[in-house]
Amino acid sequence: VRAAADETVLEGPALVLTDASARGVVTPPFRATVTRIAAREGDVVDAGAPLCMVVMPEVLDAAGRAEGARARLAAWTERHQQLTALKAEGLAKSLDVSEAAAQEASARADLQTARAVLLAAGVRDSASLLSGSGELALRAPSSGVITHVDATLGENRDPSAGPLFVISGRAASRIEARLSRPAPDGEWRFIAGADVTPVRLVSRAPAADPRDGSFLAWFEAEDSATLTAGTPGRVTTKHGGEATFLVPASAIRRDSGLAQVRTRSGLVSITV
């Protein structure tokens, strides 16, 4: 048994969490037919890189309806303006003006409905889509390495069938730790095997976990260091201000729930 003034006396198991921004999936927003595949497992891709080409009938239908509605809107807008001018001169009926206004509004509503589908599919120019092959590129939402591909040429893929591609990247690492008491401020380290990374305390849980009485705390690596998601380890810090000693675990006994350690002076009750 020795004084622990210069030793790490507070530590807890920890795990590097998966950052939401470090993982991306590519799924067609509507039922799609895969026509070309441009990437495979292990490829390093940048955000926005095309991964495959697909044809989505619902999107093509919406593009056609959008172009038709746009043409009708232009025609009825011009007709409405003409009738309004003629009505001011007493040469057109109010009923005709109202009918033109109704047709104009109907065309505008049809255009907005079709645009909603196109926007959901990431299409900004329906005319270009219709004038080309009708294919759309599904692009990487983030930079990283493609870790999973589930795409087959010619298959009809429903969005509920799961992602075509999974991308894993790097992001600022966050570490979750469980401690025997609330994490104090101070210098912390994350230890995983032989690797030691300085970390800073980000936040701590306001209360103990009722399942085991532990206190959760979250840390981030200093100097923008990145850690591999899923890496297990432990966080440690030095603790002062109390009479604290390092005791071999084999020297501790429990009696009626109380911890005791055997010393030359006899059994001494302790808090572990």
Side-chain angles (χ1 to χ4, degrees), residues 28-44:
F30 300 94
R31 183 172 55 84
T33 299
V34 179
T35 57
R36 278 187 284 171
I37 300 175
R40 58 182 179 174
E41 287 95 338
D43 285 352
V44 179

Side-chain angles (χ1 to χ4, degrees), residues 188-212:
W188 289 85
R189 300 178 299 166
F190 174 70
I191 302 175
D195 298 328
V196 179
T197 304
V199 295
R200 61 180 177 275
L201 179 64
V202 176
S203 60
R204 55 178 72 88
D209 190 329
R211 295 174 296 178
D212 57 10

Side-chain angles (χ1 to χ4, degrees), residues 10-268:
L10 179 59
E11 70 174 36
L15 181 69
V16 180
L17 302 177
T18 301
D19 193 296
S21 63
R23 186 176 186 272
V25 298
V26 177
T27 303
F30 300 94
R31 183 172 55 84
T33 299
V34 179
T35 57
R36 278 187 284 171
I37 300 175
R40 58 182 179 174
E41 287 95 338
D43 285 352
V44 179
V45 296
D46 295 325
L51 303 183
C52 71
M53 303 297 291
V54 298
V55 173
M56 294 182 280
E58 290 179 68
V59 177
L60 289 176
D61 177 69
R65 288 188 286 109
E67 289 304 302
R70 188 174 288 112
R72 287 190 290 110
L73 177 61
W76 279 111
T77 299
E78 182 180 1
R79 178 62 174 165
H80 185 206
Q81 293 173 348
Q82 292 173 346
L83 290 174
T84 300
L86 291 173
K87 179 177 179 296
E89 298 175 6
L91 300 176
K93 299 179 180 179
S94 298
L95 184 60
D96 293 336
V97 175
S98 299
E99 176 64 20
Q103 292 291 345
E104 180 184 354
S106 176
R108 182 175 286 107
D110 290 343
L111 177 60
Q112 293 302 322
T113 300
R115 285 189 62 199
V117 176
L118 295 174
L119 289 176
V123 176
R124 296 293 185 270
D125 187 355
S126 56
S128 297
L129 179 63
L130 293 174
S131 63
S133 63
E135 293 179 321
L136 283 174
L138 298 184
R139 301 180 181 274
S142 59
S143 300
V145 178
I146 297 177
T147 58
H148 179 70
V149 177
D150 183 20
T152 304
L153 283 176
E155 72 169 318
N156 290 316
R157 189 61 169 257
D158 192 86
S160 61
L164 296 172
F165 298 87
V166 177
I167 302 170
S168 295
R170 286 188 173 272
S173 303
R174 179 155 294 189
I175 302 161
E176 182 180 84
R178 288 184 176 272
L179 304 169
S180 59
R181 58 179 178 270
D185 296 328
E187 297 181 0
W188 289 85
R189 300 178 299 166
F190 174 70
I191 302 175
D195 298 328
V196 179
T197 304
V199 295
R200 61 180 177 275
L201 179 64
V202 176
S203 60
R204 55 178 72 88
D209 190 329
R211 295 174 296 178
D212 57 10
S214 63
F215 291 84
L216 286 172
W218 293 270
F219 302 83
E220 286 184 351
E222 297 279 9
D223 302 326
S224 301
T226 56
L227 300 169
T228 302
T231 301
R234 67 187 192 276
V235 293
T236 65
T237 188
K238 294 180 179 180
H239 180 70
E242 296 181 0
T244 309
F245 297 86
L246 293 180
V247 180
S250 58
I252 299 174
R253 55 171 287 182
R254 293 187 180 274
D255 184 13
S256 301
L258 299 177
Q260 297 176 319
V261 63
R262 184 177 296 281
T263 71
R264 291 174 181 173
S265 303
L267 291 174
V268 177

